[in-house]
Every structure is written in structure tokens, then in C-alpha cells.
Amino acid sequence: MTSANPTLTAAPAASVVPVTPGARRSLPDSAFLAATRGERPTHLPVWFMRQAGRSLPEYRALRAGTGMLQSCMTPELTCEITLQPVRRHGVDAAILFSDIVVPLYAAGIGVDIVAGTGPVVAEPVRTAADVERIPRLRPEQVAPVTDAIGLLLRELGDTPLIGFAGAPFTLASYLVEGGPSKNHERTKALMRTAPDVWHALMSKLSGITATFLELQVAAGVDAVQLFDSWAGALSERDYRTYVLPHSAVVLGRLAGAGVPRIHFGVGTGELLPAMADAGTDVLGVDWRTPLDVAARRVGRGLPVQGNLDPAVLFADHASIEAEVRRIAAEGARTPGHVFNLGHGVLPHTDPDVITRTIELVHAQPV
């Protein structure tokens, strides 16, 4: 693999970023943070994955002519895009505007986001030599992201800010496949054919991901979410063998940071106990598994997050209200509940429907 900046390939291994729990800002009235601790807040908290993005006309206007990764690495743009859904919808938490591949791009790996396709890697990683050439992530390479967090903390007031990163498996899949994949055939083949190469790759990526999140925490985010888009392509056996140890490294490095850790994957209903074993404070659940069923499967008192099907937002108001009520009732039977979608906001979702749905959530009993 060729780094986008060849001078970065010889960078020394990044050390653990020091994070002082006592330095966290105090948000005692945050319903979101209360729910992540398993408490019953004054109202049911809600935020939506991808709440900042293509569904908002103000986002499209702001992003016109600016690439996705450029937007993520421009502090003023990141700040404004992150704030837009907070202003419009009145959500209980902001999610840092970013992308799964941002830490790879920041480290100097040749990756771009192609419209209509997604992340595309210039030179896929498939050999031990390819893995060896992956650079480490250095703190100064993430300065645009941490600068954006500084801007946001001055603007958000009492609204918590959630940091974000893609999980090692999802990053590995993009690197091995060269881009999005339906079947992940090259990824699964590498796991079995060259497990040493696979685990070396995942070790590199867990280090990059953990550093990226630690830097966000050190900059002041109030929670973090580890997002594993493609983990649902795996069996539980394969997840435990090839993925769990590396996600556990990421989540373990944040264990003493004083912020709640949310672990989410798509299509992971059968993996939820294993994902909990990786170490988390809140377990994200997609729309395929009822929240109370998910909580029983895991069986360890973890709060849950989710899980309205994003496509339901295209239905009539009565149908949306019925689903919100059902999910709120299921969430009330769990150790704690943060209302969310079961995946991200779809691009053509009506922003007014999102606002009304959030108002519905806030009207539910807790």
C-alpha cells in the first residue's frame, strides 16, 4: 500500500493518548448521558445516526463544491454541519460530523470517498508487506478534528457531543476489498488463508481507531460510538475469533476515560452478546431485533440504543407514531434506553418528519 503522503509511512508507533476523567465537562441535566448510565431521565432522549447530512437542505448548500473528506478535515465546516440538526430538530446529543475512513485518510492512507460508491482505496491491503506499510496515526494529523471539537464545545452549551469512529473490522473490509463489498469475499478469504496477516492488519487498525477516539475524548467529547457497519456479515464464531479481540482493544483503551462507550453494528442481532463481550457501556441495536429481546440476549444490565427502522420515516404519521410508541415501550423494559434509528437517516428523508418524530419521542413516558 502506498501512503498518500510517503513521509508518514515511517512514523513511530503512536502511544496511548492521555485522557483525564476529571477534565470532563459537567452536564448534570443531560437526559442522554443519564440514559447511558442506566438512569431514568426526565424524558426519553433521542438522537439519530447521520442526523447531520444529506437529508438537510442547509447541509447540501454548505457542502456544495466541497468533498466529503475535505469537509471532515475543515474545522469550521465540521462544526457547522454538526450543529445543524441540533438547531433544527432539538436532539438530545450531537454526533461529530465525520466518516469511517477519516482516520485512515488523516494517517496518509490513499483513500477517497466517491459519490455514489463510497470509500475507495487506491491500493488494497492483501499481503504482510501491505500491512507493514500502513502508517501509524499521529496526534497532529487529527488536529482538524480536535479543533472542530473545540469549536463545538463553545457552541453546544448543555448538549452532549458524541465522538465517532469506525470499528477495525469495517475499516479492514474497505482496505482489503478496495471499497464497499456485498459479500466481503476477499476479507473472509484473508481471515482464513492468512490469519497472521489478518490479525496484524486488525492490530494496526485497532491502534489507529483507539488513538482517533482517545484524541476526541482528550479534546472534550462527552461520549463515543464505535460503529461496525459490516460486522453483520460474520457468524458469531468468526466474529469472536477474528474481530472481538481487536474491538476489545479499542474499547479497553477508553475504559477509564470517563465517557460512555456505545458499540453499534448493522445486522448484528446474533452478535450482540459477543459485541457486549468486547466491552461497552451502551449497546446499539438495529431495527431487526426488539430492544427488550436484545437486552435479554445480552443479559448483563447494559443500556441499549435504537432502533426505529429508517425507512419508517417515509410512512404516514400514524404509522410512525405507532412504531415510536412500540419501541419506547420495549426500551422501557431494558436497563436504560437512548432512542435512535436502527441505522442512519436515509438521504431523501423529509427533515420535517425527523423533527416531528423527535417531538413524538420526547412525548413518550419514561
Side-chain angles (χ1 to χ4, degrees):
M1 166 182 264
T2 300
S3 167
N5 184 344
T7 64
L8 301 181
T9 57
S15 59
V16 174
V17 178
V19 177
T20 305
R24 316 294 341 134
R25 62 180 183 149
S26 176
L27 299 173
D29 298 325
S30 169
F32 164 75
L33 292 175
T36 66
R37 295 190 294 264
E39 300 169 8
R40 296 295 174 186
T42 55
H43 66 270
L44 180 57
V46 54
W47 69 278
F48 285 169
M49 288 178 279
R50 293 183 186 158
Q51 63 189 18
R54 295 169 293 179
S55 65
L56 300 182
E58 57 265 41
Y59 167 84
R60 294 193 294 271
L62 188 64
R63 272 278 322 275
T66 305
M68 176 65 178
L69 289 172
Q70 182 183 352
S71 299
C72 295
M73 298 296 282
T74 304
E76 295 77 13
L77 267 179
T78 298
C79 177
E80 174 59 23
I81 292 168
T82 302
L83 290 170
Q84 286 176 346
V86 179
R87 296 193 195 106
R88 179 186 273 263
H89 302 311
V91 287
D92 293 284
I95 176 74
L96 180 69
F97 178 72
S98 189
D99 187 87
I100 282 173
V101 299
V102 162
L104 302 182
Y105 176 79
I109 294 170
V111 60
D112 195 11
I113 298 177
V114 178
T117 300
V120 175
V121 178
E123 296 183 25
V125 176
R126 294 169 187 165
T127 67
D130 294 336
V131 172
E132 183 62 28
R133 286 192 292 269
I134 293 175
R136 304 288 184 176
L137 182 65
R138 302 201 308 267
E140 63 269 24
Q141 294 169 318
V142 186
V145 176
T146 54
D147 287 349
I149 292 169
L151 295 175
L152 280 161
L153 295 179
R154 292 194 287 272
E155 297 288 338
L156 282 169
D158 294 335
T159 301
L161 177 61
I162 305 169
F164 166 84
F169 173 75
T170 291
L171 295 179
S173 179
Y174 281 122
L175 289 177
V176 174
E177 302 290 340
S181 174
K182 182 179 180 180
N183 299 309
H184 309 277
E185 53 265 47
R186 290 186 179 92
T187 305
K188 293 181 178 182
L190 181 63
M191 288 176 176
R192 289 169 171 77
T193 304
D196 54 338
V197 175
W198 172 259
H199 286 294
L201 171 60
M202 290 288 280
S203 180
K204 279 279 187 84
L205 294 176
S206 64
I208 288 173
T209 301
T211 297
F212 188 51
L213 287 174
E214 285 172 336
L215 289 165
Q216 292 177 55
V217 172
V221 299
D222 305 292
V224 293
Q225 174 158 302
L226 187 66
F227 193 106
D228 215 345
S229 304
W230 304 125
L234 299 172
S235 67
E236 183 181 5
R237 180 186 302 108
D238 285 349
Y239 180 89
R240 288 188 178 276
T241 302
Y242 299 108
V243 177
L244 189 156
H246 304 285
S247 290
V249 167
V250 176
L251 293 163
R253 277 176 54 174
L254 297 165
V259 300
R261 302 161 297 167
I262 306 168
H263 196 188
F264 173 76
V266 183
T268 52
E270 295 302 317
L271 305 182
L272 291 173
M275 292 179 70
D277 286 345
T280 190
D281 303 301
V282 180
L283 196 59
V285 183
D286 78 3
W287 69 91
R288 297 169 179 87
T289 308
L291 293 175
D292 50 350
V293 172
R296 287 197 301 271
R297 284 183 185 176
V298 174
R300 64 187 67 189
L302 285 178
V304 294
Q305 177 178 278
N307 65 345
L308 181 68
D309 185 340
V312 169
L313 295 178
F314 291 83
D316 63 283
H317 181 77
S319 298
I320 295 172
E321 181 173 8
E323 284 295 280
V324 167
R325 291 183 182 279
R326 176 185 63 80
I327 292 165
E330 292 171 358
R333 297 191 290 271
T334 71
H337 179 208
V338 175
F339 198 102
N340 207 307
L341 299 180
H343 198 190
V345 174
L346 297 173
H348 301 295
T349 308
D350 183 343
D352 291 337
V353 172
I354 297 174
T355 301
R356 290 196 297 270
T357 302
I358 289 166
E359 292 170 350
L360 276 172
V361 173
H362 283 160
Q364 300 309 301
V366 292

